[in-house]
Amino acid sequence: MLFAEVGQSLIDFISKLDPLKNIIAYPIMKFTLIHPVSGKLRYIRFIALFVAMAYISGCARIGKKEYQEGKTVYGNKAMVVSAHPEATRVGIEVLEKGGNAVDAMVAVHFALAVVYPAAGNLGGGGFMMYRQPSGEVVSLDFREKAPMAAYEEMYQDENGDIIDGLSLAGPMASGVPGSVDGMLTAHAKYGSLPLKTLLQPAYKLARGGFPITAKQANNYNRYRKTFIEHNRDSTVIPLVKLDGEWEEGELLVQKDLAATIKRIQKSGRDGFYKGKTAELLVAEMKAGNGIIELEDMAKYQAKWREPVTGKYRGATIYSMGPPSSGGIALMQLLKMSEHFSMGDLGFHSPETIHLMTEMERRVYADRAKHLGDADFWDVPKEELLDDRYITSRVKQINPTKATDSEEVLAMKLDYQESEETTHYSIVDANGHAVSVTTTINSGYGSKVFVSGAGFLMNNEMDDFSSKPGVPNVYGLLGGKANAIQPEKRMLSAMTPTIVEKDGKLKMVVGTPGGSTIITSVYQVVLNVLDHEMNMTDAVSAGRVHHQWKPNFIFPERDALDPTTKKALEKMGHQIKDRGSIGRVDAILVGADGQLEGAGDPRGDDWAAGF
Ligand code: DON
C-alpha cells in the first residue's frame, strides 16, 4: 500500500516534467509501482524502479539552475541583467547552454517583448553596442524610421498649431519598427545557436503564459481605460482582463503574440516584415489614419554604425552615435568633467551638482540644435567633441553661480517621464559584451495593439521635433536637424554604453528614462570611476537631472538633502523634485575579473550570473 502511495507521488512529480520525459518515465513507474506483481517479476520490478529513479533524478538535475539570481549578483563567467526576472532567466539559460552574448541578446529581447510589454517589444526599435574579446566594438542601429508618407508638418493643423496628442497615441504616432530586423541582423553576423531555438523560450512564455509581478498587475489595471480607448476591439488586448482586475502572480497568456513569434521562427525577417504579420500591422494602422504601408515594412533595414568613442580618466568609453544623441552628449559631459576633480568634490555635494548641472545645460542646448539622423543631417560630431570647444564651454561655467538657460546658446557653426524604454546588459563566458537599449517610447507606446498579431506599436514619431520651439513629451526641444522627413530616423537619447579600462572590459551600462537617459548613464559612470562605488551602489544612488530647458534641477525625491538644496538655490538654481529617474541594468568587471550584475531597485529589474 505504502509502495503504491509513494509511487503515486512520484508519478505526480513526473507529470510535471515535459511530455517527452513523461512518455518514457510514466509507464515504467506505473508498471513498477502501482501494479501488483509476483514471482520473478518482483526482481525485474526493482531493477526497473532503479532505472526510472536514476532517469528522474537526471531530469531533475538538468532542470536545476546552476546560476545565482537577484538584485545584486556576482559571477565569474557570465551575467545577464534585464528589466524582468523571466527574461533574465531566459538569457542566462542560453549562456549556460553555451550560447554567446548575441544569442542571449536575441533570446532576452524576444522574451522581454512577451514578459515586459511596457517596453520590451517587436513593434519598436533600439540600439546595440557589442564588444568582442579582441576589443573590437561595433554598434547596430535598429531605430524606427518615419514612414515614406511622413512630412514635416504632419502633426500641425492648418494654423500651424500642434494637434495635441497626435504624435503620442494612436496609429499616426508610430514609426516603422526596427527591433526584429535588428535582432536578426546581429544574429546572422554573430550568433551561434539557431534562431528558432533562441525564440522558443519567448514563444513558450507567450503561449503558456507567465506570472505577472505586482508592479505589472497595477500597471495593467491603471492603463485599462487607455488601452480600450485606443483600440478597435477590447477583447483582443492581452493586457486588458475582461473579468475584473489583474492580481500579482496571475498568468498572462498571449496567443496572438505567440503566433507572431512562430511566424518569425519559421520565416525569419519575412515572418514580420512581409506576409501575415505585416498585413495585420498595416491593416491596424490604416484603421486609424496611420501611414505605414507594406512597402515601408519590406524596406526597413537596421544599420551598422561607427560607435562614438573617447577617453575618460584612463577608461575608454564606447557609446551610440546618431541617430542617438546619447554617445555624443555623454562624451561631451565626460570631457567637460575631466576639467574638474569630481571625486574630490564629493558625491552629491552642492559643488558637484552645480558643475554637473552647468555642463548638462550646455550639452542639451547643443543636442537641440545640432543632433539628428546623420543620414539626413550633417551632425558636427568632431566639432562638438573638439577639445578646444569643450574647454571654451567649461570656461563659461561660473563655479559659484548658476547660468540662466536663456543665455546658453548651442555651438555656433556659423518634462514627468514614464519608464517605457528598457535596457539589458549581457556578458558571456568568453568575454563578449552586449549593451542594448530598446523602446516603444512613452507608456505602452501608441497604446495600439496590432489586432491578431498581439504586440504594441511604438509612438516614436514624437521623438522628432514636430515644430521648432515646441517641446516633445520629455520637454526636449529641436529644430531642422530633427525635423520629420520620409524614411528619416527620429533623434534618440538612448545611450547603451560599454566602458573599457587597460584594454579590458570594465562596465556594461544603460537605462530607460527619455531625456534623463544621458544624465543617468553619465552619473553611473562617475559613481564608479570618480566616486569609487561598486555597481550596486552606483545604480541605486539617487539621481539628479538637468536638460537646459526647462531651467530646473530635477532631483529624485530624497536624492539631495535640504542643506545641499539650499546651497544650490543660493547659487541661483531652481529645483523641482520628481519621481524616480531611470532603471539602470548594469554589469561591472572587478580588478580580479569578477562580474557584478546590478538590477535597478526602482523596478522589477533582475540579474543572474554564474
Ligand atoms: O529614444 C528616446 O530617446 C526615447 N524614445 C526614449 C523613451 C524612454 O526612455 C521612455 N522611458 N522611460
Side-chain angles (χ1 to χ4, degrees):
M1 190 56 208
L2 180 72
F3 212 52
E5 271 169 24
V6 172
Q8 193 55 56
S9 12
L10 278 169
I11 285 167
D12 289 345
F13 173 71
I14 296 170
S15 65
K16 290 193 187 108
L17 299 175
D18 81 24
L20 183 70
K21 285 159 198 156
N22 260 320
I23 290 168
I24 302 168
Y26 191 90
I28 304 177
M29 295 301 285
K30 193 114 187 157
F31 164 72
T32 54
L33 296 172
I34 306 282
H35 293 300
V37 286
S38 57
K40 277 190 191 151
L41 272 179
R42 250 188 296 169
Y43 301 110
I44 297 172
R45 177 171 82 170
F46 275 112
I47 295 168
L49 176 62
F50 179 77
V51 171
M53 294 293 283
Y55 180 79
I56 292 165
S57 80
C59 290
R61 249 218 338 270
I62 290 165
K64 205 176 132 224
K65 62 186 176 74
E66 299 290 342
Y67 57 85
Q68 307 292 317
E69 55 179 323
K71 283 284 182 197
T72 301
V73 171
Y74 296 96
N76 292 317
K77 291 186 175 158
M79 187 73 62
V80 178
V81 196
S82 88
H84 199 283
E86 296 286 351
T88 294
R89 279 177 205 131
V90 164
I92 202 76
E93 278 160 21
V94 166
L95 296 179
E96 265 193 326
K97 275 191 224 141
N100 65 30
V102 172
D103 292 324
M105 167 190 82
V106 174
V108 169
H109 193 102
F110 278 85
L112 281 169
V114 177
V115 300
Y116 193 60
N121 65 81
L122 304 185
F127 302 118
M128 169 188 92
M129 302 295 306
Y130 169 46
R131 182 183 187 272
Q132 293 173 271
S134 64
E136 191 195 343
V137 181
V138 295
S139 63
L140 183 65
D141 162 10
F142 53 97
R143 180 74 162 161
E144 300 90 329
K145 290 174 85 166
M148 285 185 287
Y151 57 97
E152 194 169 330
E153 303 86 11
M154 65 185 275
Y155 298 113
Q156 301 175 18
D157 64 16
E158 57 280 10
N159 303 320
D161 295 328
I162 292 292
I163 306 167
D164 246 7
L166 204 57
S167 64
L168 275 173
M172 270 194 82
S174 297
V176 184
S179 285
V180 174
D181 193 55
M183 289 300 118
L184 272 50
T185 299
H187 177 259
K189 192 153 181 201
Y190 296 110
S192 70
L193 298 179
L195 187 69
K196 222 173 167 173
T197 312
L198 299 174
L199 268 53
Q200 192 59 14
Y203 171 76
K204 273 188 163 171
L205 286 162
R207 176 85 208 167
F210 69 95
I212 60 172
T213 67
K215 282 196 171 72
Q216 289 183 301
N218 284 339
N219 236 291
Y220 302 161
N221 292 333
R222 198 152 54 81
Y223 271 91
R224 181 192 170 91
K225 247 178 84 186
T226 318
F227 288 140
I228 293 175
E229 185 190 331
H230 290 288
N231 283 276
R232 292 182 286 168
D233 179 359
S234 58
T235 62
V236 301
I237 310 172
L239 305 189
V240 169
K241 201 173 157 192
L242 296 173
D243 49 345
E245 299 245 295
W246 287 104
E247 274 173 37
E248 178 184 1
E250 270 187 90
L251 277 194
L252 173 62
V253 177
Q254 301 171 85
K255 293 215 165 102
D256 288 341
L257 180 56
T260 299
I261 296 171
K262 180 113 278 172
R263 284 192 288 277
I264 302 170
Q265 283 182 303
K266 224 170 126 198
S267 313
R269 200 197 121 86
D270 287 356
F272 186 81
Y273 290 95
K274 288 186 179 164
K276 187 165 177 182
T277 314
E279 281 157 20
L280 288 169
L281 189 153
V282 170
E284 190 65 55
M285 297 296 96
K286 293 216 159 144
N289 297 324
I291 54 172
I292 299 180
E293 299 281 350
L294 285 173
E295 204 189 335
D296 286 304
M297 293 293 286
K299 269 181 95 172
Y300 184 88
Q301 294 265 268
K303 274 184 119 167
W304 296 100
R305 305 263 188 200
E306 194 65 33
V308 171
T309 309
K311 294 266 182 215
Y312 179 64
R313 298 204 200 285
T316 310
I317 318 290
Y318 296 93
S319 195
M320 194 68 212
S324 177
S325 57
I328 292 181
L330 176 66
M331 262 339 292
Q332 282 191 309
L333 288 169
L334 291 173
K335 275 172 148 262
M336 285 193 221
S337 305
E338 226 168 14
H339 287 255
F340 305 95
S341 237
M342 304 298 281
D344 295 342
L345 289 172
F347 174 73
H348 280 189
S349 68
E351 293 76 16
T352 310
I353 300 290
H354 168 69
L355 286 175
M356 288 166 74
T357 301
E358 290 306 314
M359 295 184 238
E360 290 166 358
R361 199 193 299 285
R362 285 159 178 84
V363 165
Y364 277 78
D366 278 343
R367 179 194 192 274
K369 182 153 172 86
H370 294 299
L371 289 174
D373 181 353
D375 290 347
F376 288 75
W377 182 260
D378 199 5
V379 177
K381 181 180 154 197
E382 271 80 45
E383 290 87 338
L384 289 167
L385 295 176
D386 184 88
D387 288 339
R388 278 161 308 176
Y389 175 61
I390 296 288
T391 310
S392 73
R393 285 302 235 188
V394 169
K395 280 197 181 137
Q396 294 168 357
I397 299 176
N398 179 328
T400 55
K401 197 169 172 293
T403 326
D404 182 352
S405 281
E406 293 305 327
E407 285 163 17
V408 173
L409 300 177
M411 183 186 70
K412 276 202 187 107
L413 281 176
D414 74 326
Y415 309 138
Q416 182 70 40
E417 174 223 330
S418 55
E419 299 300 339
E420 275 51 49
T421 298
T422 190
H423 177 85
Y424 49 94
S425 296
I426 300 173
V427 174
D428 73 17
N430 294 314
H432 299 252
V434 165
S435 183
V436 172
T437 314
T438 180
T439 186
I440 43 178
N441 198 18
S442 63
Y444 297 93
S446 66
K447 323 289 184 289
V448 177
F449 282 88
V450 176
S451 315
F455 61 88
L456 272 163
M457 283 298 284
N458 65 81
N459 60 348
E460 220 70 69
M461 292 296 283
D462 189 67
D463 274 354
F464 277 118
S465 167
S466 298
K467 192 180 171 185
V470 178
N472 77 352
V473 74
Y474 304 107
L476 291 168
L477 294 166
K480 272 277 174 222
N482 190 30
I484 305 171
Q485 276 176 263
E487 298 194 73
K488 186 173 173 182
R489 287 168 157 98
M490 53 297 280
L491 184 61
S492 173
M494 292 188 287
T495 315
T497 297
I498 290 178
V499 178
E500 190 182 280
K501 192 136 194 217
D502 305 325
K504 291 195 197 123
L505 179 68
K506 173 88 183 159
M507 240 189 274
V508 186
V509 56
T511 181
S515 57
T516 65
I517 292 176
I518 299 165
T519 54
S520 295
V521 172
Y522 167 54
Q523 288 170 85
V524 174
V525 172
L526 289 191
N527 289 351
V528 172
L529 296 183
D530 291 84
H531 302 301
E532 294 175 1
M533 294 185 195
N534 61 28
M535 197 42 105
T536 305
D537 292 344
V539 165
S540 52
R543 298 191 187 118
V544 182
H545 173 72
H546 196 288
Q547 59 178 52
W548 175 48
K549 289 183 184 179
N551 187 6
F552 290 104
I553 294 181
F554 292 102
E556 282 184 307
R557 215 158 285 124
D558 302 328
L560 298 180
D561 60 50
T563 338
T564 306
K565 283 182 174 167
K566 269 203 188 104
L568 286 164
E569 278 161 355
K570 242 175 122 184
M571 293 183 200
H573 292 287
Q574 302 180 76
I575 300 174
K576 218 182 220 178
D577 281 351
R578 51 159 290 163
S580 76
I581 296 179
R583 306 267 190 280
V584 178
D585 288 337
I587 300 171
L588 180 67
V589 187
D592 54 357
Q594 194 187 43
L595 303 171
E596 180 193 357
D600 202 314
R602 294 162 181 83
D604 292 323
D605 305 64
W606 207 242
F610 60 87

